[in-house]
Amino acid sequence: MPDFILHHYPQSPVAQKIRFALGLAEASWHSVEISRLPPRPLLSPMTAHYRRVPVLQIGADIHCDSQNIIRAIAEAGHSDSLFPDGCTGHAMALASWTEQVLFDLAVRIVITSAIGTAPPEFIADRGSLYFEPDWTEAGLQQALPSTILQLQAHLAWCDDMLSARGYAIGPVPSYADAAIAYIVWFLRGRWDDGAALLAPFEHLCRLESEFNERGEGKAINMTGETALSIAREHTPKSPVGITAGFAGGLSQGQNVLVRPSKVTADPDVVGRLRYLDDTRVSLDHESPETGAVAVHFPVAGYRVTAL
Ligand SMILES: N[C@@H](CCC(=O)N[C@@H](CS)C(=O)NCC(=O)O)C(=O)O
């Protein structure tokens, strides 16, 4: 089993989704805690300056975005626990919905409620990543009741799924449940009115308790310096080539730019195209700090363009 190195910070909800998944997989992993705000000088050379959290490192293979991280963990031998009964497509589609819709609404609620108490630079930074380019604090505050109503509707669907089958997809938990549980964890932990909104949703509360009790697998702390030296001492082991049926005119070895498809303040990532299949795109990247690494992104939710 390869060594997983998760770069994350405790308050990150998307990292919590991965920590819940590592618990479900009963995996052992190394934990590198990073700061809540950039700069992150030990991490960004590895990711070719992709800025989001979490990031999963396996030697010199650097997996960005939870969608891609979970694929890497499953491929490393945990697919039966994360995707029981071959439910990969079903679970990934549900996880995509919870991130794009429920997390988007939840983060609006949490950030709007933190206006006036959280440091203004934190609100400004996260707003530039999560909201429309012309967002304002007043606009968020005005929209808050309707944002909560919308989230409640989606939570009701989740609760109904869990009530009907026990878990999101069937009688045993899967990654889809981690992708619901982290939304509940985030709302309860970071929003004063979260507990009241969640209380009527008996099955969501049950799911959250189960994931909290199960824990996060077996984590051992590691420093960012050690993680960086591991990247330097290894070479990427991931595949090379293009296997996607439709490859968008891209060819192996050419310079490409990868960025989230939504308009956000995320920096562009540039590298040489190493690999492309239907769901994953990998870039070759070098830096003095890391040597040669392969940086992996999901295809869904990202723009990949030739330079
Ligand atoms: N699509 C990404 C979203 C990740 C994301 O937005 N993570 C948040 C933390 S929960 C983030 O990176 N915020 C900015 C930061 O921490 O610098 C994923 O699934 O990993």
Side-chain angles (χ1 to χ4, degrees), residues 104-114 144 147-148 151 187 191:
D104 179 83
L105 293 165
V107 91
R108 278 167 201 277
I109 295 167
V110 168
I111 291 190
T112 308
S113 310
L144 185 61
T147 308
I148 300 171
L151 179 64
L187 288 169
W191 177 38

Side-chain angles (χ1 to χ4, degrees), residues 9 11-18 34-38 40 50-54 64-69 99 103 125-126 129-130 175 182 266 298 302:
Y9 54 86
Q11 301 86 349
S12 159
V14 182
Q16 186 61 38
K17 173 171 61 172
I18 297 300
I34 56 168
S35 64
R36 261 181 111 177
L37 277 175
R40 297 169 180 140
Y50 168 79
R51 117 119 226 229
R52 302 277 184 135
V53 177
C64 299
D65 193 292
S66 56
Q67 194 192 132
N68 190 44
I69 291 172
E99 183 190 339
F103 183 62
D125 176 68
R126 295 316 202 248
L129 294 178
Y130 296 134
Y175 175 59
Y182 89 106
D266 287 279
Y302 284 77

Side-chain angles (χ1 to χ4, degrees), residues 28-43:
S28 299
W29 51 286
H30 294 281
S31 167
V32 178
E33 188 170 333
I34 56 168
S35 64
R36 261 181 111 177
L37 277 175
R40 297 169 180 140
L42 299 173
L43 179 59

Side-chain angles (χ1 to χ4, degrees), residues 12 27 37 59 77 94 109 112 129 140 143 151 226 228 243 254 265 284 299:
S12 159
L37 277 175
L94 273 175
I109 295 167
T112 308
L129 294 178
L140 288 177
L151 179 64
T226 304
L228 202 53
T243 63
Q254 83 176 117
D284 279 316
V299 172

